[in-house]
């Protein structure tokens, strides 16, 4: 599989999004989680993204277990800081689940926002313990929307310190918006941003400011949520499809159906174009796709590898909706 670079780190163009290994929306067995990672490895995927938030650390533990026997220099793992996990054994003992956050796991911990130096240092240490690694290839500030002041000062400074020590290879921020990511690029010494849902066929707001600025500052971009949480994930767009984790508006449904029709006319499928679209920009290092099962992995790889005709790209690029 082709690779691109993030600072000194090399990532595969297709990345494994491990949120679903944290029982996002429904439970996954340890065996199925390992099988998904094994299949990703067999398909040539060497970039894996996780976070403490995903299943209260379950995703990190499962990912670390699945990669434990692989040569450490042969793969890249990113995780995130900003949500510390605080023990709450009494809630777990009472049978409380963490499903309010979307993850079907016992509420063994609660999340606490913390972008302070101590919070970031503790978060990375805990992540490395759960993964079973001695270093983290990429660390992102996770969803700092309401925490700009602390995240952009003590949070970034702590990650820079860890980068200087070699504990972390590359640092950045990951968010569901483009404007604050552009501010991080403009004002902070970071290597990469992960933009979720704002660099898709349907929502291209990251192209307005973030991508040009990142190219100017030599900051890499990783694209996530390229299906906009479902709307672009099927060849035929459903009227009850989701956009950004809620029912898609009639306007977005119509726009997605227009995109699907362009693909059908050109002999390709909407999800294939959705996965490949961000990679048309050389500043985008990788597209991270959520994967739960070996079938998900194979499907994502087929979409990444499929041929999208030039005529489809011309029409899709011209069909700007947002």
């Amino acid at each position: 599989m082709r690779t691109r670079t993030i600072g000194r780190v090399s990532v595969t163009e297709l990345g494994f999004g491990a949120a679903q290994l944290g029982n996002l929306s429904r439970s996954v067995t340890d065996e199925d989680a390992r099988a998904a990672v094994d299949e990703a490895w067999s398909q040539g995927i060497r970039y894996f993204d996780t976070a403490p938030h995903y299943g209260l650390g379950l995703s990190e533990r499962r990912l670390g277990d699945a990669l434990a026997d692989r040569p450490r220099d042969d793969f890249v793992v990113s995780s995130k800081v900003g949500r510390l996990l605080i023990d709450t054994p009494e809630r777990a003992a009472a049978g409380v689940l963490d499903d309010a956050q979307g993850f079907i796991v016992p509420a063994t911990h609660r999340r606490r926002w913390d972008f302070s130096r101590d919070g970031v240092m503790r978060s990375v240490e805990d992540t490395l313990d759960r993964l079973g690694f001695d270093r983290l290839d990429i660390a992102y500030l996770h969803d700092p929307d309401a925490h700009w002041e602390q995240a952009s000062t003590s949070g970034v400074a702590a990650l820079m310190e860890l980068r200087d020590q070699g504990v972390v290879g590359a640092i950045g921020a990951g968010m569901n918006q483009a404007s604050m990511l552009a501010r991080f690029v403009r004002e902070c010494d970071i290597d990469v941003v992960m933009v979720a849902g704002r660099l898709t066929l349907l929502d291209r707001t990251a192209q307005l400011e973030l991508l040009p600025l990142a190219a100017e500052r030599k900051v890499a971009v990783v694209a996530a949520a390229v299906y906009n949480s479902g709307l672009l994930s099927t060849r035929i767009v459903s009227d009850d499809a989701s956009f950004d984790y809620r029912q898609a508006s009639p306007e977005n449904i119509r726009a997605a159906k227009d995109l699907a029709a362009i693909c059908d006319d050109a002999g390709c499928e909407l999800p294939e174009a959705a996965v490949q679209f961000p990679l048309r920009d050389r500043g985008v290092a990788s597209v991270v796709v959520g994967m739960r099962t070996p079938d998900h992995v194979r499907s994502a790889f087929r979409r990444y590898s499929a041929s999208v005709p030039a005529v489809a790209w011309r029409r899709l690029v011209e069909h700007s909706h947002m």
Side-chain angles (χ1 to χ4, degrees), residues 40 69 73 75 85 118 124 147 167 170 193 195 200 203 214 225-226 233 238-239 243 270 276 285 301 306 314 317-318:
D69 295 331
D73 291 340
F75 61 86
L85 302 183
D118 288 348
V124 171
H147 306 274
V167 177
V193 292
V195 57
T200 74
D203 187 335
V226 294
S233 65
S238 169
D239 288 333
F243 177 83
L270 177 61
Q276 296 180 38
F301 183 78
R314 284 197 299 271
V317 169
E318 291 168 359

PDB file of all heavy atoms in Angstrom, residues 40 69 73 75 85 118 124 147 167 170 193 195 200 203 214 225-226 233 238-239 243 270 276 285 301 306 314 317-318:
ATOM      1  N   ALA A  40      -6.578  -6.271   8.567  1.00  0.00           N
ATOM      2  CA  ALA A  40      -5.979  -4.998   8.148  1.00  0.00           C
ATOM      3  C   ALA A  40      -4.495  -5.188   7.837  1.00  0.00           C
ATOM      4  O   ALA A  40      -3.986  -4.666   6.838  1.00  0.00           O
ATOM      5  CB  ALA A  40      -6.172  -3.945   9.240  1.00  0.00           C
ATOM      6  N   ASP A  69       2.488  -8.758  18.771  1.00  0.00           N
ATOM      7  CA  ASP A  69       3.474  -9.656  18.175  1.00  0.00           C
ATOM      8  C   ASP A  69       4.055  -9.123  16.868  1.00  0.00           C
ATOM      9  O   ASP A  69       4.854  -9.800  16.217  1.00  0.00           O
ATOM     10  CB  ASP A  69       2.836 -11.029  17.916  1.00  0.00           C
ATOM     11  CG  ASP A  69       2.427 -11.724  19.215  1.00  0.00           C
ATOM     12  OD1 ASP A  69       3.076 -11.456  20.243  1.00  0.00           O
ATOM     13  OD2 ASP A  69       1.466 -12.512  19.187  1.00  0.00           O
ATOM     14  N   ASP A  73       8.515  -1.323  14.707  1.00  0.00           N
ATOM     15  CA  ASP A  73       8.865  -0.319  13.706  1.00  0.00           C
ATOM     16  C   ASP A  73       8.083  -0.463  12.407  1.00  0.00           C
ATOM     17  O   ASP A  73       8.216   0.366  11.508  1.00  0.00           O
ATOM     18  CB  ASP A  73      10.365  -0.386  13.387  1.00  0.00           C
ATOM     19  CG  ASP A  73      11.228   0.087  14.547  1.00  0.00           C
ATOM     20  OD1 ASP A  73      10.703   0.810  15.422  1.00  0.00           O
ATOM     21  OD2 ASP A  73      12.414  -0.274  14.577  1.00  0.00           O
ATOM     22  N   PHE A  75       4.697  -0.482  12.078  1.00  0.00           N
ATOM     23  CA  PHE A  75       3.367   0.113  12.085  1.00  0.00           C
ATOM     24  C   PHE A  75       3.372   1.428  12.848  1.00  0.00           C
ATOM     25  O   PHE A  75       4.305   1.729  13.594  1.00  0.00           O
ATOM     26  CB  PHE A  75       2.326  -0.848  12.682  1.00  0.00           C
ATOM     27  CG  PHE A  75       2.578  -1.236  14.122  1.00  0.00           C
ATOM     28  CD1 PHE A  75       2.113  -0.449  15.164  1.00  0.00           C
ATOM     29  CD2 PHE A  75       3.275  -2.389  14.423  1.00  0.00           C
ATOM     30  CE1 PHE A  75       2.340  -0.798  16.486  1.00  0.00           C
ATOM     31  CE2 PHE A  75       3.513  -2.752  15.746  1.00  0.00           C
ATOM     32  CZ  PHE A  75       3.043  -1.953  16.778  1.00  0.00           C
ATOM     33  N   LEU A  85      -9.237   9.412  31.921  1.00  0.00           N
ATOM     34  CA  LEU A  85     -10.156   8.398  32.428  1.00  0.00           C
ATOM     35  C   LEU A  85      -9.961   8.255  33.936  1.00  0.00           C
ATOM     36  O   LEU A  85      -8.872   7.887  34.392  1.00  0.00           O
ATOM     37  CB  LEU A  85      -9.908   7.064  31.723  1.00  0.00           C
ATOM     38  CG  LEU A  85     -10.048   7.072  30.198  1.00  0.00           C
ATOM     39  CD1 LEU A  85      -9.846   5.660  29.645  1.00  0.00           C
ATOM     40  CD2 LEU A  85     -11.391   7.639  29.772  1.00  0.00           C
ATOM     41  N   ASP A 118       0.087  18.374  33.170  1.00  0.00           N
ATOM     42  CA  ASP A 118      -0.011  17.132  33.934  1.00  0.00           C
ATOM     43  C   ASP A 118      -1.043  16.195  33.323  1.00  0.00           C
ATOM     44  O   ASP A 118      -0.841  14.971  33.269  1.00  0.00           O
ATOM     45  CB  ASP A 118      -0.381  17.432  35.388  1.00  0.00           C
ATOM     46  CG  ASP A 118       0.768  18.056  36.169  1.00  0.00           C
ATOM     47  OD1 ASP A 118       1.913  18.051  35.659  1.00  0.00           O
ATOM     48  OD2 ASP A 118       0.516  18.563  37.284  1.00  0.00           O
ATOM     49  N   VAL A 124      -0.934  10.365  28.128  1.00  0.00           N
ATOM     50  CA  VAL A 124      -0.021   9.604  27.270  1.00  0.00           C
ATOM     51  C   VAL A 124       0.538   8.398  28.017  1.00  0.00           C
ATOM     52  O   VAL A 124       0.635   7.294  27.463  1.00  0.00           O
ATOM     53  CB  VAL A 124       1.101  10.510  26.744  1.00  0.00           C
ATOM     54  CG1 VAL A 124       2.174   9.684  26.029  1.00  0.00           C
ATOM     55  CG2 VAL A 124       0.539  11.556  25.791  1.00  0.00           C
ATOM     56  N   HIS A 147     -12.036  24.237  24.645  1.00  0.00           N
ATOM     57  CA  HIS A 147     -10.856  24.319  25.515  1.00  0.00           C
ATOM     58  C   HIS A 147      -9.657  24.913  24.768  1.00  0.00           C
ATOM     59  O   HIS A 147      -8.507  24.532  25.028  1.00  0.00           O
ATOM     60  CB  HIS A 147     -10.504  22.921  26.037  1.00  0.00           C
ATOM     61  CG  HIS A 147     -11.631  22.223  26.712  1.00  0.00           C
ATOM     62  ND1 HIS A 147     -11.930  22.391  28.037  1.00  0.00           N
ATOM     63  CD2 HIS A 147     -12.565  21.364  26.215  1.00  0.00           C
ATOM     64  CE1 HIS A 147     -12.988  21.652  28.352  1.00  0.00           C
ATOM     65  NE2 HIS A 147     -13.395  21.030  27.267  1.00  0.00           N
ATOM     66  N   VAL A 167       9.207  10.393  23.025  1.00  0.00           N
ATOM     67  CA  VAL A 167       8.091   9.562  23.496  1.00  0.00           C
ATOM     68  C   VAL A 167       6.949   9.585  22.490  1.00  0.00           C
ATOM     69  O   VAL A 167       6.214   8.612  22.314  1.00  0.00           O
ATOM     70  CB  VAL A 167       7.598  10.054  24.878  1.00  0.00           C
ATOM     71  CG1 VAL A 167       6.393   9.243  25.347  1.00  0.00           C
ATOM     72  CG2 VAL A 167       8.728   9.964  25.894  1.00  0.00           C
ATOM     73  N   ALA A 170       4.938  12.519  16.367  1.00  0.00           N
ATOM     74  CA  ALA A 170       4.330  13.693  15.740  1.00  0.00           C
ATOM     75  C   ALA A 170       3.148  14.125  16.584  1.00  0.00           C
ATOM     76  O   ALA A 170       2.512  13.311  17.263  1.00  0.00           O
ATOM     77  CB  ALA A 170       3.892  13.382  14.307  1.00  0.00           C
ATOM     78  N   VAL A 193      -2.946  17.568  11.501  1.00  0.00           N
ATOM     79  CA  VAL A 193      -4.310  17.713  12.003  1.00  0.00           C
ATOM     80  C   VAL A 193      -5.142  16.564  11.459  1.00  0.00           C
ATOM     81  O   VAL A 193      -4.927  16.097  10.330  1.00  0.00           O
ATOM     82  CB  VAL A 193      -4.957  19.058  11.606  1.00  0.00           C
ATOM     83  CG1 VAL A 193      -4.271  20.215  12.313  1.00  0.00           C
ATOM     84  CG2 VAL A 193      -4.959  19.260  10.102  1.00  0.00           C
ATOM     85  N   VAL A 195      -8.958  15.932  10.530  1.00  0.00           N
ATOM     86  CA  VAL A 195     -10.229  16.622  10.326  1.00  0.00           C
ATOM     87  C   VAL A 195     -11.297  15.579  10.017  1.00  0.00           C
ATOM     88  O   VAL A 195     -11.162  14.793   9.074  1.00  0.00           O
ATOM     89  CB  VAL A 195     -10.122  17.692   9.219  1.00  0.00           C
ATOM     90  CG1 VAL A 195      -9.655  17.109   7.893  1.00  0.00           C
ATOM     91  CG2 VAL A 195     -11.437  18.428   9.054  1.00  0.00           C
ATOM     92  N   THR A 200     -14.981  15.891   2.858  1.00  0.00           N
ATOM     93  CA  THR A 200     -15.716  14.806   2.226  1.00  0.00           C
ATOM     94  C   THR A 200     -16.307  15.305   0.906  1.00  0.00           C
ATOM     95  O   THR A 200     -16.318  16.502   0.622  1.00  0.00           O
ATOM     96  CB  THR A 200     -16.859  14.296   3.131  1.00  0.00           C
ATOM     97  OG1 THR A 200     -17.928  15.254   3.131  1.00  0.00           O
ATOM     98  CG2 THR A 200     -16.372  14.076   4.562  1.00  0.00           C
ATOM     99  N   ASP A 203     -19.143  17.628   2.260  1.00  0.00           N
ATOM    100  CA  ASP A 203     -18.763  18.778   3.082  1.00  0.00           C
ATOM    101  C   ASP A 203     -17.276  19.056   2.873  1.00  0.00           C
ATOM    102  O   ASP A 203     -16.415  18.340   3.382  1.00  0.00           O
ATOM    103  CB  ASP A 203     -19.052  18.504   4.561  1.00  0.00           C
ATOM    104  CG  ASP A 203     -18.829  19.723   5.438  1.00  0.00           C
ATOM    105  OD1 ASP A 203     -18.029  20.600   5.047  1.00  0.00           O
ATOM    106  OD2 ASP A 203     -19.452  19.808   6.510  1.00  0.00           O
ATOM    107  N   ALA A 214      -2.407  24.526   5.791  1.00  0.00           N
ATOM    108  CA  ALA A 214      -1.583  23.377   6.168  1.00  0.00           C
ATOM    109  C   ALA A 214      -0.473  23.150   5.144  1.00  0.00           C
ATOM    110  O   ALA A 214       0.674  22.842   5.511  1.00  0.00           O
ATOM    111  CB  ALA A 214      -2.449  22.130   6.299  1.00  0.00           C
ATOM    112  N   ALA A 225     -13.931  10.210   9.052  1.00  0.00           N
ATOM    113  CA  ALA A 225     -15.388  10.345   8.861  1.00  0.00           C
ATOM    114  C   ALA A 225     -15.731  10.752   7.428  1.00  0.00           C
ATOM    115  O   ALA A 225     -16.537  11.641   7.194  1.00  0.00           O
ATOM    116  CB  ALA A 225     -15.972  11.339   9.867  1.00  0.00           C
ATOM    117  N   VAL A 226     -15.103  10.089   6.462  1.00  0.00           N
ATOM    118  CA  VAL A 226     -15.287  10.469   5.057  1.00  0.00           C
ATOM    119  C   VAL A 226     -16.665  10.095   4.521  1.00  0.00           C
ATOM    120  O   VAL A 226     -17.057  10.572   3.451  1.00  0.00           O
ATOM    121  CB  VAL A 226     -14.191   9.855   4.164  1.00  0.00           C
ATOM    122  CG1 VAL A 226     -12.838  10.446   4.513  1.00  0.00           C
ATOM    123  CG2 VAL A 226     -14.173   8.335   4.276  1.00  0.00           C
ATOM    124  N   SER A 233     -21.868   6.139   2.536  1.00  0.00           N
ATOM    125  CA  SER A 233     -21.275   4.814   2.724  1.00  0.00           C
ATOM    126  C   SER A 233     -21.882   3.721   1.861  1.00  0.00           C
ATOM    127  O   SER A 233     -21.408   2.585   1.887  1.00  0.00           O
ATOM    128  CB  SER A 233     -21.389   4.399   4.202  1.00  0.00           C
ATOM    129  OG  SER A 233     -22.747   4.231   4.569  1.00  0.00           O
ATOM    130  N   SER A 238     -29.902   5.998   1.109  1.00  0.00           N
ATOM    131  CA  SER A 238     -31.199   5.768   1.763  1.00  0.00           C
ATOM    132  C   SER A 238     -31.796   7.082   2.256  1.00  0.00           C
ATOM    133  O   SER A 238     -31.074   7.995   2.669  1.00  0.00           O
ATOM    134  CB  SER A 238     -31.015   4.810   2.939  1.00  0.00           C
ATOM    135  OG  SER A 238     -32.172   4.754   3.731  1.00  0.00           O
ATOM    136  N   ASP A 239     -33.117   7.149   2.241  1.00  0.00           N
ATOM    137  CA  ASP A 239     -33.801   8.352   2.723  1.00  0.00           C
ATOM    138  C   ASP A 239     -33.686   8.525   4.230  1.00  0.00           C
ATOM    139  O   ASP A 239     -33.961   9.612   4.746  1.00  0.00           O
ATOM    140  CB  ASP A 239     -35.287   8.313   2.334  1.00  0.00           C
ATOM    141  CG  ASP A 239     -35.501   8.537   0.839  1.00  0.00           C
ATOM    142  OD1 ASP A 239     -34.653   9.198   0.218  1.00  0.00           O
ATOM    143  OD2 ASP A 239     -36.502   8.033   0.306  1.00  0.00           O
ATOM    144  N   PHE A 243     -26.291  11.822   8.765  1.00  0.00           N
ATOM    145  CA  PHE A 243     -25.250  12.800   8.450  1.00  0.00           C
ATOM    146  C   PHE A 243     -24.782  13.374   9.782  1.00  0.00           C
ATOM    147  O   PHE A 243     -25.570  13.925  10.553  1.00  0.00           O
ATOM    148  CB  PHE A 243     -25.799  13.917   7.558  1.00  0.00           C
ATOM    149  CG  PHE A 243     -24.790  15.007   7.261  1.00  0.00           C
ATOM    150  CD1 PHE A 243     -23.874  14.857   6.239  1.00  0.00           C
ATOM    151  CD2 PHE A 243     -24.755  16.172   8.023  1.00  0.00           C
ATOM    152  CE1 PHE A 243     -22.944  15.853   5.958  1.00  0.00           C
ATOM    153  CE2 PHE A 243     -23.825  17.167   7.752  1.00  0.00           C
ATOM    154  CZ  PHE A 243     -22.916  17.009   6.722  1.00  0.00           C
ATOM    155  N   LEU A 270     -20.358   5.386  -5.125  1.00  0.00           N
ATOM    156  CA  LEU A 270     -20.202   6.534  -4.236  1.00  0.00           C
ATOM    157  C   LEU A 270     -19.190   6.278  -3.112  1.00  0.00           C
ATOM    158  O   LEU A 270     -18.327   7.134  -2.864  1.00  0.00           O
ATOM    159  CB  LEU A 270     -21.566   6.941  -3.667  1.00  0.00           C
ATOM    160  CG  LEU A 270     -21.580   8.085  -2.654  1.00  0.00           C
ATOM    161  CD1 LEU A 270     -21.040   9.372  -3.270  1.00  0.00           C
ATOM    162  CD2 LEU A 270     -23.009   8.309  -2.130  1.00  0.00           C
ATOM    163  N   GLN A 276     -11.597   7.877  -1.561  1.00  0.00           N
ATOM    164  CA  GLN A 276     -10.445   8.379  -2.301  1.00  0.00           C
ATOM    165  C   GLN A 276     -10.396   9.899  -2.427  1.00  0.00           C
ATOM    166  O   GLN A 276      -9.320  10.468  -2.672  1.00  0.00           O
ATOM    167  CB  GLN A 276     -10.430   7.758  -3.706  1.00  0.00           C
ATOM    168  CG  GLN A 276     -10.248   6.254  -3.704  1.00  0.00           C
ATOM    169  CD  GLN A 276     -10.240   5.675  -5.107  1.00  0.00           C
ATOM    170  OE1 GLN A 276      -9.699   6.277  -6.038  1.00  0.00           O
ATOM    171  NE2 GLN A 276     -10.845   4.511  -5.274  1.00  0.00           N
ATOM    172  N   ALA A 285      -2.312  13.002   4.199  1.00  0.00           N
ATOM    173  CA  ALA A 285      -1.427  11.856   4.375  1.00  0.00           C
ATOM    174  C   ALA A 285      -2.174  10.534   4.410  1.00  0.00           C
ATOM    175  O   ALA A 285      -1.662   9.507   3.954  1.00  0.00           O
ATOM    176  CB  ALA A 285      -0.616  12.017   5.660  1.00  0.00           C
ATOM    177  N   PHE A 301     -10.696  -1.582   1.926  1.00  0.00           N
ATOM    178  CA  PHE A 301      -9.550  -1.719   1.022  1.00  0.00           C
ATOM    179  C   PHE A 301     -10.002  -1.749  -0.434  1.00  0.00           C
ATOM    180  O   PHE A 301      -9.361  -1.142  -1.306  1.00  0.00           O
ATOM    181  CB  PHE A 301      -8.753  -2.979   1.356  1.00  0.00           C
ATOM    182  CG  PHE A 301      -7.522  -3.140   0.506  1.00  0.00           C
ATOM    183  CD1 PHE A 301      -6.384  -2.402   0.775  1.00  0.00           C
ATOM    184  CD2 PHE A 301      -7.519  -3.998  -0.577  1.00  0.00           C
ATOM    185  CE1 PHE A 301      -5.255  -2.517  -0.015  1.00  0.00           C
ATOM    186  CE2 PHE A 301      -6.396  -4.123  -1.376  1.00  0.00           C
ATOM    187  CZ  PHE A 301      -5.262  -3.384  -1.093  1.00  0.00           C
ATOM    188  N   ALA A 306     -10.246   0.820  -5.689  1.00  0.00           N
ATOM    189  CA  ALA A 306     -11.091   0.825  -6.887  1.00  0.00           C
ATOM    190  C   ALA A 306     -10.688   1.934  -7.862  1.00  0.00           C
ATOM    191  O   ALA A 306     -10.132   2.964  -7.467  1.00  0.00           O
ATOM    192  CB  ALA A 306     -12.552   0.988  -6.497  1.00  0.00           C
ATOM    193  N   ARG A 314     -14.089  14.725 -12.467  1.00  0.00           N
ATOM    194  CA  ARG A 314     -14.405  16.059 -12.983  1.00  0.00           C
ATOM    195  C   ARG A 314     -15.796  16.498 -12.549  1.00  0.00           C
ATOM    196  O   ARG A 314     -15.990  17.622 -12.075  1.00  0.00           O
ATOM    197  CB  ARG A 314     -14.306  16.069 -14.512  1.00  0.00           C
ATOM    198  CG  ARG A 314     -12.881  16.091 -15.038  1.00  0.00           C
ATOM    199  CD  ARG A 314     -12.837  16.510 -16.499  1.00  0.00           C
ATOM    200  NE  ARG A 314     -13.579  15.589 -17.356  1.00  0.00           N
ATOM    201  CZ  ARG A 314     -13.036  14.515 -17.922  1.00  0.00           C
ATOM    202  NH1 ARG A 314     -11.771  14.209 -17.702  1.00  0.00           N
ATOM    203  NH2 ARG A 314     -13.765  13.729 -18.705  1.00  0.00           N
ATOM    204  N   VAL A 317     -16.005  16.903  -8.557  1.00  0.00           N
ATOM    205  CA  VAL A 317     -15.328  18.103  -8.083  1.00  0.00           C
ATOM    206  C   VAL A 317     -16.151  19.345  -8.416  1.00  0.00           C
ATOM    207  O   VAL A 317     -16.242  20.286  -7.610  1.00  0.00           O
ATOM    208  CB  VAL A 317     -13.910  18.200  -8.679  1.00  0.00           C
ATOM    209  CG1 VAL A 317     -13.307  19.563  -8.400  1.00  0.00           C
ATOM    210  CG2 VAL A 317     -13.023  17.097  -8.094  1.00  0.00           C
ATOM    211  N   GLU A 318     -16.779  19.344  -9.587  1.00  0.00           N
ATOM    212  CA  GLU A 318     -17.620  20.492  -9.981  1.00  0.00           C
ATOM    213  C   GLU A 318     -18.889  20.561  -9.155  1.00  0.00           C
ATOM    214  O   GLU A 318     -19.462  21.650  -8.987  1.00  0.00           O
ATOM    215  CB  GLU A 318     -17.974  20.380 -11.463  1.00  0.00           C
ATOM    216  CG  GLU A 318     -16.799  20.584 -12.400  1.00  0.00           C
ATOM    217  CD  GLU A 318     -17.136  20.181 -13.828  1.00  0.00           C
ATOM    218  OE1 GLU A 318     -18.289  19.734 -14.060  1.00  0.00           O
ATOM    219  OE2 GLU A 318     -16.262  20.325 -14.697  1.00  0.00           O
TER     220      GLU A 318
END
